[in-house]
Amino acid sequence: MADNVRPRVKVPKKAAAGEVISIKTLISHPMESGQRKDGDGNTIPRSIINRMVVDFNGENVIDVTLEPAISTNPYFEFDATVPESGEFKFTWHDDDGSVYEDTQAIEVG
Amino acid sequence: MKRTAMTALVAALIAAPVLVAAGPDDDTLVVNGEIEMTTKAPAPAHMEGTGIDTIMSGWHFREDETQALQMDDFDNTGMIFVEQAQEVWNTVEGTEGKSCASCHDEASESMKGVRAVYPKWDEDKEEVKTLAMQINACRTENMGAEAYKYDSVPMASMEALIAAQSRGMPMNVAIDGPVRETWEKGKEIYYTRYGQLELACANCHEDNWGNMIRADHLSQGQTNGFPVYRLKNTKLNTVHGRFKGCIRDTRAETFAPGSPELVALELYVASRGNGLSVEGPSVRN
């Protein structure tokens, strides 16, 4: 597992029904591209977050494929319409098989 | 008539890019909607004769998108390192079985105001101490732990944790009394031309701030925002790391991070920012 990987998510605590809210996510990760060489000329192996998935109450909201050109600490901001109270579930998939998760509840009313 | 109009048009075309290019803006820096930063302040008295009346944070010289990153802790990538340092703060290291928290409790309380007065005089050691030197003194003398490399990421992260507790407080380093000699030495270095390009700090940051240096904006070279998260290298950068980069760019042999020369320079440059808010960890490009 890459060092110091930690997901961070910012979701408003409350929203009106049908309101479009802004969600910010950031995961600290080196996103080593696999293109670089170390001091001895050896290729540094690729190690990136390759997929990020967000679900709301079990329904998929976004599903992103990340490529090696994406820089360190990938940050995603997107809008979502929330029809009801529930829980956003965020999942990041690492090249090494690790899965990082975070959940955030939102109250609609 | 026609010719005059043409000339005026040409003049306008030539002038326009220069006008929009490089100067500081008038935006206001408020972090998380609550910490109001002083990013412009009257120059401290010792800067009389430098031609700078108003000292300005480097934040004003960055583009809106970069500025915005510093206005919210979620967007400020430097805060990732603060979080990591907070864990280190509570982690026992070294032979004495102590963590930072063993002596200093909560950083949010004990470290308030600390960043604003460093570098400062150490009575016992009878020397000017930077924050980094103090962190390493704590580690080696009190904790029995290994010193951090002076301009390394763990050091920068710990500095960021400490700096973050003073955000919004004015920089206020002492320049008189026992530190005076070091301060004078720092001032001398600031005005000494180094390297094949024969550039002193002052040539860029005093004589030409607000102008372009090739594709980049020259700021006043203030240190109130350190440690700085730089988009170009995606990590926190220390003051000495930055000094090293600057001196290297003059094609000179640089002083080593942590050397007496850079400590003196840090004190002098910090004193040129007395009155600006502590911003660290700030975001620049």
Side-chain angles (χ1 to χ4, degrees), chain B residues 271-285:
Chain B
S271 78
R272 291 173 70 102
N274 273 352
L276 294 176
S277 292
V278 173
E279 287 179 32
S282 63
V283 183
R284 306 282 189 261
N285 51 347

Side-chain angles (χ1 to χ4, degrees), chain B:
Chain B
M1 184 68 187
K2 206 171 184 182
R3 186 182 173 134
T4 316
M6 268 299 265
T7 314
L9 183 65
V10 170
L13 282 174
I14 294 169
V18 178
L19 288 173
V20 296
D25 63 17
D26 289 321
D27 295 344
T28 308
L29 176 54
V30 179
V31 175
N32 299 334
E34 58 180 26
I35 310 173
E36 289 177 18
M37 299 282 192
T38 303
T39 50
K40 290 187 184 181
H46 71 80
M47 283 175 71
E48 199 179 330
T50 61
I52 297 179
D53 301 327
T54 304
I55 52 174
M56 291 174 206
S57 162
W59 183 80
H60 282 293
F61 296 82
R62 307 279 57 116
E63 306 210 337
D64 288 349
E65 293 83 351
T66 311
Q67 288 183 332
L69 290 173
Q70 205 187 314
M71 298 175 79
D72 184 319
D73 279 355
F74 192 90
D75 298 346
N76 183 342
T77 326
M79 295 310 286
I80 291 175
F81 298 86
V82 171
E83 281 175 17
Q84 288 167 0
Q86 182 63 57
E87 276 177 24
V88 175
W89 181 269
N90 295 318
T91 306
V92 173
E93 278 183 85
T95 55
E96 302 299 311
K98 286 182 188 169
S99 68
C100 305
S102 307
C103 296
H104 298 292
D105 296 322
E106 289 295 322
S108 57
E109 285 299 320
S110 60
M111 293 297 123
K112 204 168 272 180
V114 169
R115 168 66 172 83
V117 296
Y118 271 87
K120 71 171 191 179
W121 186 249
D122 182 321
E123 289 288 349
D124 296 333
K125 297 259 177 73
E126 298 197 330
E127 63 177 1
V128 171
K129 228 177 199 173
T130 62
L131 193 52
M133 289 162 74
Q134 182 57 55
I135 290 168
N136 268 344
C138 263
R139 288 182 61 81
T140 56
E141 292 163 25
N142 302 335
M143 295 166 67
E146 293 236 339
Y148 289 135
K149 185 165 170 277
Y150 197 93
D151 57 347
S152 62
V153 170
M155 175 62 87
S157 305
M158 188 53 73
E159 286 181 351
L161 172 65
I162 294 169
Q165 317 309 330
S166 301
R167 284 192 297 176
M169 298 170 77
M171 285 293 297
N172 185 25
V173 297
I175 64 169
D176 288 321
V179 304
R180 190 71 186 187
E181 194 184 328
T182 307
W183 183 83
E184 294 283 1
K185 186 177 150 195
K187 183 173 180 180
E188 191 189 321
I189 292 172
Y190 191 88
Y191 287 102
T192 302
R193 289 171 181 268
Y194 290 101
Q196 291 177 325
L197 297 184
E198 297 190 342
L199 288 169
C201 308
N203 293 132
C204 288
H205 298 292
E206 184 170 294
D207 304 338
N208 280 298
W209 64 271
N211 291 330
M212 301 294 279
I213 182 162
R214 303 190 71 173
D216 201 4
H217 298 206
L218 273 176
S219 73
Q220 291 181 351
Q222 294 289 355
T223 55
N224 61 308
F226 279 86
V228 171
Y229 184 86
R230 296 192 72 188
L231 302 174
K232 69 175 274 186
N233 61 13
T234 64
K235 69 180 179 80
L236 279 181
N237 295 264
T238 62
V239 178
H240 286 208
R242 192 69 191 87
F243 285 163
K244 194 173 131 187
C246 252
I247 300 173
R248 181 204 58 214
D249 290 348
T250 71
R251 298 185 192 163
E253 286 282 341
T254 67
F255 299 112
S259 63
E261 289 84 1
L262 290 192
V263 170
L265 185 60
E266 179 179 347
L267 173 62
Y268 176 68
V269 177
S271 78
R272 291 173 70 102
N274 273 352
L276 294 176
S277 292
V278 173
E279 287 179 32
S282 63
V283 183
R284 306 282 189 261
N285 51 347

Side-chain angles (χ1 to χ4, degrees), chain A:
Chain A
M1 191 175 113
D3 291 337
N4 291 322
V5 179
R6 182 188 291 178
R8 307 158 89 203
V9 173
K10 193 172 183 181
V11 178
K13 294 258 183 302
K14 285 182 183 175
E19 186 184 344
V20 177
I21 57 159
S22 185
I23 294 175
K24 296 174 174 181
T25 76
L26 186 155
I27 185 161
S28 50
H29 194 283
M31 296 294 279
E32 186 62 57
S33 70
Q35 303 287 336
R36 302 198 305 160
K37 292 190 168 59
D38 64 17
D40 299 326
N42 302 314
T43 301
I44 304 171
R46 176 182 133 158
S47 169
I48 66 168
I49 299 279
N50 56 45
R51 184 177 174 215
M52 185 185 88
V53 183
V54 182
D55 297 324
F56 181 68
N57 286 348
E59 188 184 343
N60 184 245
V61 179
I62 60 169
D63 191 339
V64 186
T65 302
L66 283 79
E67 302 289 352
I70 294 175
S71 63
T72 308
N73 307 327
Y75 173 96
F76 283 94
E77 181 175 341
F78 61 93
D79 292 339
T81 310
V82 280
E84 60 199 21
S85 294
E87 196 173 69
F88 278 100
K89 184 179 173 200
F90 304 83
T91 316
W92 291 263
H93 298 266
D94 197 310
D95 270 352
D96 63 14
S98 304
V99 174
Y100 315 101
E101 286 183 346
D102 198 353
T103 53
Q104 291 281 320
I106 184 164
E107 195 180 310
V108 171

